Amino acid sequence: MREVYLDNSATTRPLPEVVEAMVKTLQDNYGNPSSLHNKGLEAEKILKEARQKIARRLAASPEEIIFTSGGTESNNLAIKGIAYQYQNRGRHLITTEVEHPSVLESFLALEEEGFEVTFLKADRYGRISLEDLRESITPETILVSIMHVNNELGTIHPLADIGKIIKERNPNTFFHSDCIQSFGKMLIQPARNLVDLVSISGHKIHGPKGIGALYKRKGVELRALQTGGGQENGYRCGTENVPGIAGLIPALDALPDYTEQNPCNQELDRLRKYFIKGLEKIDRKVIINSPEDGAPHILSVSFPGTRGEVLVHSLEAKGVFVSTGSACHSKSREKSHVLRSIGLPMEQIDGTIRVSFSTYNTIEELDYALEVLAEQLEIFF
Ligand SMILES: Cc1ncc(COP(=O)(O)O)c(C=O)c1O
């Protein structure tokens, strides 16, 4: 059966060269990067190359990149690492209601430990108010964590404006951003935008699962969450996932270069716009939840009166893969905290699917998905 994968925000298919690099590393370059002999040096070279490539994409220096096991760990390390390290300066933290659970749960855990956390509200499109942010920052605030692109809606937060507000209000407040959905799809310039910490993940860019990184600006300290052999300058101990890191290299190489003149992936934007046009031709009520100026690869769409889970499975039966709300919710009965937080009515939330694109999708695939979607809506609802 034909397979059209449109769940690229949940994860992406690894590129053939990613798989090849991983297999080669497992078979040949299996040394421990901490070993002194040649096998160790070979592995260390892989780490060095990947670190440089990530740094280049973030206009950072390689010493500012810490390898982790993925986005979840990067978020935990940034948030808890800053909170524990700087708790003597203040115990107030700020985040938003629409973050990924790896961020929200980190803050909830800190709240239980006695930190005070402000959860900023978002509007109908998942945007926080910059005025609310400004007013929330106090001399006690040690960290603000705001995601770049929302994984359920595609909403983009203006990192440069946020960074400026934070540092104006309190130059000692650190700014962390979960850039897991934006990395590889748009320009990210942490130093320029006054972002101190940035989380990224390998499997959202056609790389391997179980590998990610945290950018930590030089001079920012972190309390390590796991101690051990001193790897990653002591910030993340444990023998590095060398095959995963090797797989990151071709995934990074395949990404387009973004500049201020070309800050966003045009190809993805074209696919998303094409899909929206196709949805408009479907003869029933369709509500686009994503903002028009959102990320180019994420589209949240509701068909009131339908059930997202039923739709996901009926599309799957025809080889089309999408998700309900977000991946982390698709197996849970709980309604998406993001869609609830932006105030969507229950009927709309129930009938929501998320379609997310990759530059490897084709217009022909989208035509097929739209045809199947129209057909399944007719049959089931
Ligand atoms: C915005 C966001 N943050 C964090 C994560 C978690 O990343 P990982 O799966 O690499 O742990 C995801 C993955 O869905 C995400 O979309």
Side-chain angles (χ1 to χ4, degrees), residues 9-10 69-73 75 100 102-103 147 149-151 178 180-181 200-204 210-211 327-328 354:
S9 288
S69 65
T72 298
E73 187 185 336
N75 285 339
H100 186 266
S102 55
V103 168
M147 72 200 318
V149 165
N150 183 275
N151 50 305
D178 172 344
I180 285 147
Q181 290 294 343
I200 64 168
S201 175
H203 71 106
K204 311 285 183 182
I211 187 71
C328 55
R354 180 188 64 179

mmCIF file with all atom_site columns, all heavy atoms in Angstrom, residues 9-10 69-73 75 100 102-103 147 149-151 178 180-181 200-204 210-211 327-328 354, ligand 1:
data_model
loop_
_atom_site.group_PDB
_atom_site.id
_atom_site.type_symbol
_atom_site.label_atom_id
_atom_site.label_alt_id
_atom_site.label_comp_id
_atom_site.label_asym_id
_atom_site.label_entity_id
_atom_site.label_seq_id
_atom_site.pdbx_PDB_ins_code
_atom_site.Cartn_x
_atom_site.Cartn_y
_atom_site.Cartn_z
_atom_site.occupancy
_atom_site.B_iso_or_equiv
_atom_site.pdbx_formal_charge
_atom_site.auth_seq_id
_atom_site.auth_comp_id
_atom_site.auth_asym_id
_atom_site.auth_atom_id
_atom_site.pdbx_PDB_model_num
ATOM   1   N N   . SER A 1 9   ? 6.283  16.158 12.734 1.00 0.00 ? 9   SER A N   1
ATOM   2   C CA  . SER A 1 9   ? 6.580  16.845 13.993 1.00 0.00 ? 9   SER A CA  1
ATOM   3   C C   . SER A 1 9   ? 6.745  15.841 15.114 1.00 0.00 ? 9   SER A C   1
ATOM   4   O O   . SER A 1 9   ? 7.359  16.139 16.135 1.00 0.00 ? 9   SER A O   1
ATOM   5   C CB  . SER A 1 9   ? 5.460  17.813 14.361 1.00 0.00 ? 9   SER A CB  1
ATOM   6   O OG  . SER A 1 9   ? 5.522  18.882 13.493 1.00 0.00 ? 9   SER A OG  1
ATOM   7   N N   . ALA A 1 10  ? 6.147  14.664 14.942 1.00 0.00 ? 10  ALA A N   1
ATOM   8   C CA  . ALA A 1 10  ? 6.325  13.605 15.948 1.00 0.00 ? 10  ALA A CA  1
ATOM   9   C C   . ALA A 1 10  ? 7.716  13.022 15.797 1.00 0.00 ? 10  ALA A C   1
ATOM   10  O O   . ALA A 1 10  ? 8.474  12.900 16.761 1.00 0.00 ? 10  ALA A O   1
ATOM   11  C CB  . ALA A 1 10  ? 5.273  12.525 15.767 1.00 0.00 ? 10  ALA A CB  1
ATOM   12  N N   . SER A 1 69  ? 20.578 13.015 25.375 1.00 0.00 ? 69  SER A N   1
ATOM   13  C CA  . SER A 1 69  ? 19.854 11.900 24.755 1.00 0.00 ? 69  SER A CA  1
ATOM   14  C C   . SER A 1 69  ? 18.648 12.378 23.947 1.00 0.00 ? 69  SER A C   1
ATOM   15  O O   . SER A 1 69  ? 17.877 11.558 23.456 1.00 0.00 ? 69  SER A O   1
ATOM   16  C CB  . SER A 1 69  ? 19.379 10.932 25.833 1.00 0.00 ? 69  SER A CB  1
ATOM   17  O OG  . SER A 1 69  ? 18.426 11.578 26.654 1.00 0.00 ? 69  SER A OG  1
ATOM   18  N N   . GLY A 1 70  ? 18.459 13.674 23.813 1.00 0.00 ? 70  GLY A N   1
ATOM   19  C CA  . GLY A 1 70  ? 17.337 14.166 23.004 1.00 0.00 ? 70  GLY A CA  1
ATOM   20  C C   . GLY A 1 70  ? 16.748 15.437 23.588 1.00 0.00 ? 70  GLY A C   1
ATOM   21  O O   . GLY A 1 70  ? 17.279 16.019 24.539 1.00 0.00 ? 70  GLY A O   1
ATOM   22  N N   . GLY A 1 71  ? 15.636 15.834 22.994 1.00 0.00 ? 71  GLY A N   1
ATOM   23  C CA  . GLY A 1 71  ? 15.004 17.088 23.393 1.00 0.00 ? 71  GLY A CA  1
ATOM   24  C C   . GLY A 1 71  ? 14.554 17.085 24.847 1.00 0.00 ? 71  GLY A C   1
ATOM   25  O O   . GLY A 1 71  ? 14.726 18.075 25.564 1.00 0.00 ? 71  GLY A O   1
ATOM   26  N N   . THR A 1 72  ? 13.984 15.982 25.277 1.00 0.00 ? 72  THR A N   1
ATOM   27  C CA  . THR A 1 72  ? 13.476 15.912 26.651 1.00 0.00 ? 72  THR A CA  1
ATOM   28  C C   . THR A 1 72  ? 14.606 16.140 27.650 1.00 0.00 ? 72  THR A C   1
ATOM   29  O O   . THR A 1 72  ? 14.468 16.917 28.597 1.00 0.00 ? 72  THR A O   1
ATOM   30  C CB  . THR A 1 72  ? 12.811 14.533 26.882 1.00 0.00 ? 72  THR A CB  1
ATOM   31  O OG1 . THR A 1 72  ? 11.709 14.435 25.981 1.00 0.00 ? 72  THR A OG1 1
ATOM   32  C CG2 . THR A 1 72  ? 12.341 14.354 28.307 1.00 0.00 ? 72  THR A CG2 1
ATOM   33  N N   . GLU A 1 73  ? 15.724 15.480 27.414 1.00 0.00 ? 73  GLU A N   1
ATOM   34  C CA  . GLU A 1 73  ? 16.850 15.650 28.353 1.00 0.00 ? 73  GLU A CA  1
ATOM   35  C C   . GLU A 1 73  ? 17.424 17.065 28.272 1.00 0.00 ? 73  GLU A C   1
ATOM   36  O O   . GLU A 1 73  ? 17.764 17.663 29.302 1.00 0.00 ? 73  GLU A O   1
ATOM   37  C CB  . GLU A 1 73  ? 17.953 14.617 28.093 1.00 0.00 ? 73  GLU A CB  1
ATOM   38  C CG  . GLU A 1 73  ? 19.009 14.704 29.178 1.00 0.00 ? 73  GLU A CG  1
ATOM   39  C CD  . GLU A 1 73  ? 20.211 13.802 28.944 1.00 0.00 ? 73  GLU A CD  1
ATOM   40  O OE1 . GLU A 1 73  ? 20.096 12.788 28.239 1.00 0.00 ? 73  GLU A OE1 1
ATOM   41  O OE2 . GLU A 1 73  ? 21.271 14.153 29.470 1.00 0.00 ? 73  GLU A OE2 1
ATOM   42  N N   . ASN A 1 75  ? 15.879 19.784 27.612 1.00 0.00 ? 75  ASN A N   1
ATOM   43  C CA  . ASN A 1 75  ? 14.972 20.681 28.347 1.00 0.00 ? 75  ASN A CA  1
ATOM   44  C C   . ASN A 1 75  ? 15.131 20.507 29.853 1.00 0.00 ? 75  ASN A C   1
ATOM   45  O O   . ASN A 1 75  ? 15.215 21.486 30.599 1.00 0.00 ? 75  ASN A O   1
ATOM   46  C CB  . ASN A 1 75  ? 13.513 20.418 27.935 1.00 0.00 ? 75  ASN A CB  1
ATOM   47  C CG  . ASN A 1 75  ? 13.199 20.985 26.556 1.00 0.00 ? 75  ASN A CG  1
ATOM   48  O OD1 . ASN A 1 75  ? 13.890 21.873 26.061 1.00 0.00 ? 75  ASN A OD1 1
ATOM   49  N ND2 . ASN A 1 75  ? 12.162 20.471 25.917 1.00 0.00 ? 75  ASN A ND2 1
ATOM   50  N N   . HIS A 1 100 ? 5.933  22.031 25.709 1.00 0.00 ? 100 HIS A N   1
ATOM   51  C CA  . HIS A 1 100 ? 5.963  20.571 25.623 1.00 0.00 ? 100 HIS A CA  1
ATOM   52  C C   . HIS A 1 100 ? 5.999  20.004 27.053 1.00 0.00 ? 100 HIS A C   1
ATOM   53  O O   . HIS A 1 100 ? 6.576  20.630 27.949 1.00 0.00 ? 100 HIS A O   1
ATOM   54  C CB  . HIS A 1 100 ? 7.232  20.161 24.856 1.00 0.00 ? 100 HIS A CB  1
ATOM   55  C CG  . HIS A 1 100 ? 7.316  18.704 24.581 1.00 0.00 ? 100 HIS A CG  1
ATOM   56  N ND1 . HIS A 1 100 ? 7.986  17.839 25.420 1.00 0.00 ? 100 HIS A ND1 1
ATOM   57  C CD2 . HIS A 1 100 ? 6.816  17.951 23.568 1.00 0.00 ? 100 HIS A CD2 1
ATOM   58  C CE1 . HIS A 1 100 ? 7.897  16.618 24.925 1.00 0.00 ? 100 HIS A CE1 1
ATOM   59  N NE2 . HIS A 1 100 ? 7.200  16.658 23.802 1.00 0.00 ? 100 HIS A NE2 1
ATOM   60  N N   . SER A 1 102 ? 7.898  17.977 28.443 1.00 0.00 ? 102 SER A N   1
ATOM   61  C CA  . SER A 1 102 ? 9.246  17.876 29.036 1.00 0.00 ? 102 SER A CA  1
ATOM   62  C C   . SER A 1 102 ? 9.654  19.184 29.703 1.00 0.00 ? 102 SER A C   1
ATOM   63  O O   . SER A 1 102 ? 10.470 19.189 30.633 1.00 0.00 ? 102 SER A O   1
ATOM   64  C CB  . SER A 1 102 ? 10.276 17.469 27.973 1.00 0.00 ? 102 SER A CB  1
ATOM   65  O OG  . SER A 1 102 ? 10.252 18.362 26.881 1.00 0.00 ? 102 SER A OG  1
ATOM   66  N N   . VAL A 1 103 ? 9.076  20.286 29.268 1.00 0.00 ? 103 VAL A N   1
ATOM   67  C CA  . VAL A 1 103 ? 9.317  21.581 29.913 1.00 0.00 ? 103 VAL A CA  1
ATOM   68  C C   . VAL A 1 103 ? 8.339  21.759 31.072 1.00 0.00 ? 103 VAL A C   1
ATOM   69  O O   . VAL A 1 103 ? 8.737  22.040 32.210 1.00 0.00 ? 103 VAL A O   1
ATOM   70  C CB  . VAL A 1 103 ? 9.171  22.736 28.879 1.00 0.00 ? 103 VAL A CB  1
ATOM   71  C CG1 . VAL A 1 103 ? 9.127  24.088 29.564 1.00 0.00 ? 103 VAL A CG1 1
ATOM   72  C CG2 . VAL A 1 103 ? 10.298 22.675 27.869 1.00 0.00 ? 103 VAL A CG2 1
ATOM   73  N N   . MET A 1 147 ? 9.179  28.367 24.373 1.00 0.00 ? 147 MET A N   1
ATOM   74  C CA  . MET A 1 147 ? 9.490  27.595 23.167 1.00 0.00 ? 147 MET A CA  1
ATOM   75  C C   . MET A 1 147 ? 9.512  28.489 21.931 1.00 0.00 ? 147 MET A C   1
ATOM   76  O O   . MET A 1 147 ? 8.800  29.495 21.878 1.00 0.00 ? 147 MET A O   1
ATOM   77  C CB  . MET A 1 147 ? 8.503  26.440 23.000 1.00 0.00 ? 147 MET A CB  1
ATOM   78  C CG  . MET A 1 147 ? 7.113  26.860 22.598 1.00 0.00 ? 147 MET A CG  1
ATOM   79  S SD  . MET A 1 147 ? 5.809  25.607 22.957 1.00 0.00 ? 147 MET A SD  1
ATOM   80  C CE  . MET A 1 147 ? 6.514  24.073 22.489 1.00 0.00 ? 147 MET A CE  1
ATOM   81  N N   . VAL A 1 149 ? 8.965  27.274 18.498 1.00 0.00 ? 149 VAL A N   1
ATOM   82  C CA  . VAL A 1 149 ? 7.801  26.872 17.696 1.00 0.00 ? 149 VAL A CA  1
ATOM   83  C C   . VAL A 1 149 ? 6.975  25.864 18.493 1.00 0.00 ? 149 VAL A C   1
ATOM   84  O O   . VAL A 1 149 ? 7.519  24.874 18.992 1.00 0.00 ? 149 VAL A O   1
ATOM   85  C CB  . VAL A 1 149 ? 8.258  26.253 16.357 1.00 0.00 ? 149 VAL A CB  1
ATOM   86  C CG1 . VAL A 1 149 ? 7.114  25.511 15.673 1.00 0.00 ? 149 VAL A CG1 1
ATOM   87  C CG2 . VAL A 1 149 ? 8.811  27.331 15.429 1.00 0.00 ? 149 VAL A CG2 1
ATOM   88  N N   . ASN A 1 150 ? 5.686  26.131 18.602 1.00 0.00 ? 150 ASN A N   1
ATOM   89  C CA  . ASN A 1 150 ? 4.821  25.201 19.332 1.00 0.00 ? 150 ASN A CA  1
ATOM   90  C C   . ASN A 1 150 ? 4.574  23.937 18.507 1.00 0.00 ? 150 ASN A C   1
ATOM   91  O O   . ASN A 1 150 ? 4.235  24.019 17.320 1.00 0.00 ? 150 ASN A O   1
ATOM   92  C CB  . ASN A 1 150 ? 3.492  25.887 19.664 1.00 0.00 ? 150 ASN A CB  1
ATOM   93  C CG  . ASN A 1 150 ? 2.603  24.991 20.479 1.00 0.00 ? 150 ASN A CG  1
ATOM   94  O OD1 . ASN A 1 150 ? 1.873  24.155 19.940 1.00 0.00 ? 150 ASN A OD1 1
ATOM   95  N ND2 . ASN A 1 150 ? 2.686  25.111 21.783 1.00 0.00 ? 150 ASN A ND2 1
ATOM   96  N N   . ASN A 1 151 ? 4.733  22.793 19.162 1.00 0.00 ? 151 ASN A N   1
ATOM   97  C CA  . ASN A 1 151 ? 4.659  21.523 18.431 1.00 0.00 ? 151 ASN A CA  1
ATOM   98  C C   . ASN A 1 151 ? 3.249  21.123 18.023 1.00 0.00 ? 151 ASN A C   1
ATOM   99  O O   . ASN A 1 151 ? 3.075  20.278 17.165 1.00 0.00 ? 151 ASN A O   1
ATOM   100 C CB  . ASN A 1 151 ? 5.296  20.391 19.259 1.00 0.00 ? 151 ASN A CB  1
ATOM   101 C CG  . ASN A 1 151 ? 4.780  20.339 20.667 1.00 0.00 ? 151 ASN A CG  1
ATOM   102 O OD1 . ASN A 1 151 ? 4.841  21.327 21.397 1.00 0.00 ? 151 ASN A OD1 1
ATOM   103 N ND2 . ASN A 1 151 ? 4.265  19.202 21.071 1.00 0.00 ? 151 ASN A ND2 1
ATOM   104 N N   . ASP A 1 178 ? 13.077 26.060 23.944 1.00 0.00 ? 178 ASP A N   1
ATOM   105 C CA  . ASP A 1 178 ? 12.920 24.740 23.346 1.00 0.00 ? 178 ASP A CA  1
ATOM   106 C C   . ASP A 1 178 ? 12.779 24.990 21.829 1.00 0.00 ? 178 ASP A C   1
ATOM   107 O O   . ASP A 1 178 ? 11.744 25.464 21.364 1.00 0.00 ? 178 ASP A O   1
ATOM   108 C CB  . ASP A 1 178 ? 11.657 24.101 23.945 1.00 0.00 ? 178 ASP A CB  1
ATOM   109 C CG  . ASP A 1 178 ? 11.273 22.789 23.271 1.00 0.00 ? 178 ASP A CG  1
ATOM   110 O OD1 . ASP A 1 178 ? 11.765 22.514 22.166 1.00 0.00 ? 178 ASP A OD1 1
ATOM   111 O OD2 . ASP A 1 178 ? 10.459 22.051 23.862 1.00 0.00 ? 178 ASP A OD2 1
ATOM   112 N N   . ILE A 1 180 ? 13.190 22.643 19.519 1.00 0.00 ? 180 ILE A N   1
ATOM   113 C CA  . ILE A 1 180 ? 13.158 21.311 18.915 1.00 0.00 ? 180 ILE A CA  1
ATOM   114 C C   . ILE A 1 180 ? 12.353 21.288 17.623 1.00 0.00 ? 180 ILE A C   1
ATOM   115 O O   . ILE A 1 180 ? 12.716 20.600 16.674 1.00 0.00 ? 180 ILE A O   1
ATOM   116 C CB  . ILE A 1 180 ? 12.661 20.307 19.983 1.00 0.00 ? 180 ILE A CB  1
ATOM   117 C CG1 . ILE A 1 180 ? 13.830 20.087 20.949 1.00 0.00 ? 180 ILE A CG1 1
ATOM   118 C CG2 . ILE A 1 180 ? 12.179 18.994 19.388 1.00 0.00 ? 180 ILE A CG2 1
ATOM   119 C CD1 . ILE A 1 180 ? 13.460 19.837 22.347 1.00 0.00 ? 180 ILE A CD1 1
ATOM   120 N N   . GLN A 1 181 ? 11.284 22.072 17.564 1.00 0.00 ? 181 GLN A N   1
ATOM   121 C CA  . GLN A 1 181 ? 10.493 22.094 16.322 1.00 0.00 ? 181 GLN A CA  1
ATOM   122 C C   . GLN A 1 181 ? 11.030 23.100 15.307 1.00 0.00 ? 181 GLN A C   1
ATOM   123 O O   . GLN A 1 181 ? 10.689 23.010 14.133 1.00 0.00 ? 181 GLN A O   1
ATOM   124 C CB  . GLN A 1 181 ? 9.021  22.412 16.627 1.00 0.00 ? 181 GLN A CB  1
ATOM   125 C CG  . GLN A 1 181 ? 8.286  21.285 17.341 1.00 0.00 ? 181 GLN A CG  1
ATOM   126 C CD  . GLN A 1 181 ? 8.124  20.023 16.493 1.00 0.00 ? 181 GLN A CD  1
ATOM   127 O OE1 . GLN A 1 181 ? 8.270  20.033 15.263 1.00 0.00 ? 181 GLN A OE1 1
ATOM   128 N NE2 . GLN A 1 181 ? 7.837  18.909 17.150 1.00 0.00 ? 181 GLN A NE2 1
ATOM   129 N N   . ILE A 1 200 ? 17.768 21.147 21.233 1.00 0.00 ? 200 ILE A N   1
ATOM   130 C CA  . ILE A 1 200 ? 17.465 20.588 19.908 1.00 0.00 ? 200 ILE A CA  1
ATOM   131 C C   . ILE A 1 200 ? 17.454 19.057 19.981 1.00 0.00 ? 200 ILE A C   1
ATOM   132 O O   . ILE A 1 200 ? 17.974 18.476 20.935 1.00 0.00 ? 200 ILE A O   1
ATOM   133 C CB  . ILE A 1 200 ? 18.466 21.070 18.814 1.00 0.00 ? 200 ILE A CB  1
ATOM   134 C CG1 . ILE A 1 200 ? 19.879 20.573 19.117 1.00 0.00 ? 200 ILE A CG1 1
ATOM   135 C CG2 . ILE A 1 200 ? 18.453 22.574 18.669 1.00 0.00 ? 200 ILE A CG2 1
ATOM   136 C CD1 . ILE A 1 200 ? 20.829 20.752 17.952 1.00 0.00 ? 200 ILE A CD1 1
ATOM   137 N N   . SER A 1 201 ? 16.868 18.442 18.957 1.00 0.00 ? 201 SER A N   1
ATOM   138 C CA  . SER A 1 201 ? 16.720 16.978 18.969 1.00 0.00 ? 201 SER A CA  1
ATOM   139 C C   . SER A 1 201 ? 16.994 16.405 17.579 1.00 0.00 ? 201 SER A C   1
ATOM   140 O O   . SER A 1 201 ? 16.585 16.997 16.570 1.00 0.00 ? 201 SER A O   1
ATOM   141 C CB  . SER A 1 201 ? 15.299 16.642 19.405 1.00 0.00 ? 201 SER A CB  1
ATOM   142 O OG  . SER A 1 201 ? 15.069 15.262 19.321 1.00 0.00 ? 201 SER A OG  1
ATOM   143 N N   . GLY A 1 202 ? 17.657 15.243 17.537 1.00 0.00 ? 202 GLY A N   1
ATOM   144 C CA  . GLY A 1 202 ? 18.067 14.653 16.254 1.00 0.00 ? 202 GLY A CA  1
ATOM   145 C C   . GLY A 1 202 ? 16.929 14.105 15.415 1.00 0.00 ? 202 GLY A C   1
ATOM   146 O O   . GLY A 1 202 ? 16.945 14.217 14.182 1.00 0.00 ? 202 GLY A O   1
ATOM   147 N N   . HIS A 1 203 ? 15.915 13.519 16.057 1.00 0.00 ? 203 HIS A N   1
ATOM   148 C CA  . HIS A 1 203 ? 14.939 12.777 15.244 1.00 0.00 ? 203 HIS A CA  1
ATOM   149 C C   . HIS A 1 203 ? 13.890 13.647 14.571 1.00 0.00 ? 203 HIS A C   1
ATOM   150 O O   . HIS A 1 203 ? 13.055 13.148 13.834 1.00 0.00 ? 203 HIS A O   1
ATOM   151 C CB  . HIS A 1 203 ? 14.299 11.637 16.059 1.00 0.00 ? 203 HIS A CB  1
ATOM   152 C CG  . HIS A 1 203 ? 13.355 12.068 17.133 1.00 0.00 ? 203 HIS A CG  1
ATOM   153 N ND1 . HIS A 1 203 ? 11.998 11.929 17.011 1.00 0.00 ? 203 HIS A ND1 1
ATOM   154 C CD2 . HIS A 1 203 ? 13.561 12.606 18.358 1.00 0.00 ? 203 HIS A CD2 1
ATOM   155 C CE1 . HIS A 1 203 ? 11.410 12.353 18.127 1.00 0.00 ? 203 HIS A CE1 1
ATOM   156 N NE2 . HIS A 1 203 ? 12.343 12.767 18.962 1.00 0.00 ? 203 HIS A NE2 1
ATOM   157 N N   . LYS A 1 204 ? 13.963 14.963 14.807 1.00 0.00 ? 204 LYS A N   1
ATOM   158 C CA  . LYS A 1 204 ? 13.023 15.849 14.107 1.00 0.00 ? 204 LYS A CA  1
ATOM   159 C C   . LYS A 1 204 ? 13.637 16.361 12.796 1.00 0.00 ? 204 LYS A C   1
ATOM   160 O O   . LYS A 1 204 ? 12.979 17.069 12.046 1.00 0.00 ? 204 LYS A O   1
ATOM   161 C CB  . LYS A 1 204 ? 12.652 17.056 14.987 1.00 0.00 ? 204 LYS A CB  1
ATOM   162 C CG  . LYS A 1 204 ? 12.236 16.715 16.394 1.00 0.00 ? 204 LYS A CG  1
ATOM   163 C CD  . LYS A 1 204 ? 10.858 16.125 16.495 1.00 0.00 ? 204 LYS A CD  1
ATOM   164 C CE  . LYS A 1 204 ? 10.511 15.886 17.954 1.00 0.00 ? 204 LYS A CE  1
ATOM   165 N NZ  . LYS A 1 204 ? 9.214  15.284 18.152 1.00 0.00 ? 204 LYS A NZ  1
ATOM   166 N N   . GLY A 1 210 ? 16.990 9.465  20.156 1.00 0.00 ? 210 GLY A N   1
ATOM   167 C CA  . GLY A 1 210 ? 17.870 9.242  21.305 1.00 0.00 ? 210 GLY A CA  1
ATOM   168 C C   . GLY A 1 210 ? 19.142 10.062 21.267 1.00 0.00 ? 210 GLY A C   1
ATOM   169 O O   . GLY A 1 210 ? 20.106 9.749  21.958 1.00 0.00 ? 210 GLY A O   1
ATOM   170 N N   . ILE A 1 211 ? 19.151 11.112 20.461 1.00 0.00 ? 211 ILE A N   1
ATOM   171 C CA  . ILE A 1 211 ? 20.304 12.011 20.473 1.00 0.00 ? 211 ILE A CA  1
ATOM   172 C C   . ILE A 1 211 ? 19.798 13.455 20.326 1.00 0.00 ? 211 ILE A C   1
ATOM   173 O O   . ILE A 1 211 ? 18.865 13.719 19.578 1.00 0.00 ? 211 ILE A O   1
ATOM   174 C CB  . ILE A 1 211 ? 21.347 11.655 19.369 1.00 0.00 ? 211 ILE A CB  1
ATOM   175 C CG1 . ILE A 1 211 ? 22.602 12.496 19.505 1.00 0.00 ? 211 ILE A CG1 1
ATOM   176 C CG2 . ILE A 1 211 ? 20.743 11.786 17.962 1.00 0.00 ? 211 ILE A CG2 1
ATOM   177 C CD1 . ILE A 1 211 ? 23.455 12.158 20.690 1.00 0.00 ? 211 ILE A CD1 1
ATOM   178 N N   . ALA A 1 327 ? 2.046  14.342 19.325 1.00 0.00 ? 327 ALA A N   1
ATOM   179 C CA  . ALA A 1 327 ? 2.439  12.941 19.469 1.00 0.00 ? 327 ALA A CA  1
ATOM   180 C C   . ALA A 1 327 ? 2.324  12.474 20.912 1.00 0.00 ? 327 ALA A C   1
ATOM   181 O O   . ALA A 1 327 ? 1.870  11.373 21.176 1.00 0.00 ? 327 ALA A O   1
ATOM   182 C CB  . ALA A 1 327 ? 3.854  12.748 18.990 1.00 0.00 ? 327 ALA A CB  1
ATOM   183 N N   . CYS A 1 328 ? 2.716  13.339 21.846 1.00 0.00 ? 328 CYS A N   1
ATOM   184 C CA  . CYS A 1 328 ? 2.722  12.889 23.237 1.00 0.00 ? 328 CYS A CA  1
ATOM   185 C C   . CYS A 1 328 ? 1.317  12.683 23.762 1.00 0.00 ? 328 CYS A C   1
ATOM   186 O O   . CYS A 1 328 ? 1.113  12.083 24.796 1.00 0.00 ? 328 CYS A O   1
ATOM   187 C CB  . CYS A 1 328 ? 3.472  13.880 24.099 1.00 0.00 ? 328 CYS A CB  1
ATOM   188 S SG  . CYS A 1 328 ? 2.826  15.509 23.927 1.00 0.00 ? 328 CYS A SG  1
ATOM   189 N N   . ARG A 1 354 ? -3.283 16.829 13.571 1.00 0.00 ? 354 ARG A N   1
ATOM   190 C CA  . ARG A 1 354 ? -2.122 17.640 13.229 1.00 0.00 ? 354 ARG A CA  1
ATOM   191 C C   . ARG A 1 354 ? -1.437 16.995 12.027 1.00 0.00 ? 354 ARG A C   1
ATOM   192 O O   . ARG A 1 354 ? -1.111 15.811 12.043 1.00 0.00 ? 354 ARG A O   1
ATOM   193 C CB  . ARG A 1 354 ? -1.140 17.696 14.393 1.00 0.00 ? 354 ARG A CB  1
ATOM   194 C CG  . ARG A 1 354 ? 0.099  18.536 14.065 1.00 0.00 ? 354 ARG A CG  1
ATOM   195 C CD  . ARG A 1 354 ? 1.149  18.444 15.139 1.00 0.00 ? 354 ARG A CD  1
ATOM   196 N NE  . ARG A 1 354 ? 1.674  17.101 15.271 1.00 0.00 ? 354 ARG A NE  1
ATOM   197 C CZ  . ARG A 1 354 ? 2.625  16.746 16.128 1.00 0.00 ? 354 ARG A CZ  1
ATOM   198 N NH1 . ARG A 1 354 ? 3.135  17.650 16.945 1.00 0.00 ? 354 ARG A NH1 1
ATOM   199 N NH2 . ARG A 1 354 ? 3.058  15.509 16.184 1.00 0.00 ? 354 ARG A NH2 1
HETATM 200 C C1  . LIG B 2 .   ? 8.583  21.062 21.253 1.00 0.00 ? 1   LIG B C1  1
HETATM 201 C C2  . LIG B 2 .   ? 9.155  19.755 21.676 1.00 0.00 ? 1   LIG B C2  1
HETATM 202 N N1  . LIG B 2 .   ? 9.929  19.707 22.767 1.00 0.00 ? 1   LIG B N1  1
HETATM 203 C C3  . LIG B 2 .   ? 10.492 18.558 23.187 1.00 0.00 ? 1   LIG B C3  1
HETATM 204 C C4  . LIG B 2 .   ? 10.276 17.369 22.527 1.00 0.00 ? 1   LIG B C4  1
HETATM 205 C C5  . LIG B 2 .   ? 10.920 16.115 23.032 1.00 0.00 ? 1   LIG B C5  1
HETATM 206 O O1  . LIG B 2 .   ? 12.016 15.757 22.227 1.00 0.00 ? 1   LIG B O1  1
HETATM 207 P P1  . LIG B 2 .   ? 12.584 14.255 22.258 1.00 0.00 ? 1   LIG B P1  1
HETATM 208 O O2  . LIG B 2 .   ? 11.548 13.401 21.615 1.00 0.00 ? 1   LIG B O2  1
HETATM 209 O O3  . LIG B 2 .   ? 13.855 14.315 21.460 1.00 0.00 ? 1   LIG B O3  1
HETATM 210 O O4  . LIG B 2 .   ? 12.818 13.907 23.676 1.00 0.00 ? 1   LIG B O4  1
HETATM 211 C C6  . LIG B 2 .   ? 9.451  17.364 21.409 1.00 0.00 ? 1   LIG B C6  1
HETATM 212 C C7  . LIG B 2 .   ? 9.120  16.097 20.703 1.00 0.00 ? 1   LIG B C7  1
HETATM 213 O O5  . LIG B 2 .   ? 7.988  15.840 20.333 1.00 0.00 ? 1   LIG B O5  1
HETATM 214 C C8  . LIG B 2 .   ? 8.875  18.582 20.960 1.00 0.00 ? 1   LIG B C8  1
HETATM 215 O O6  . LIG B 2 .   ? 8.086  18.644 19.892 1.00 0.00 ? 1   LIG B O6  1
#
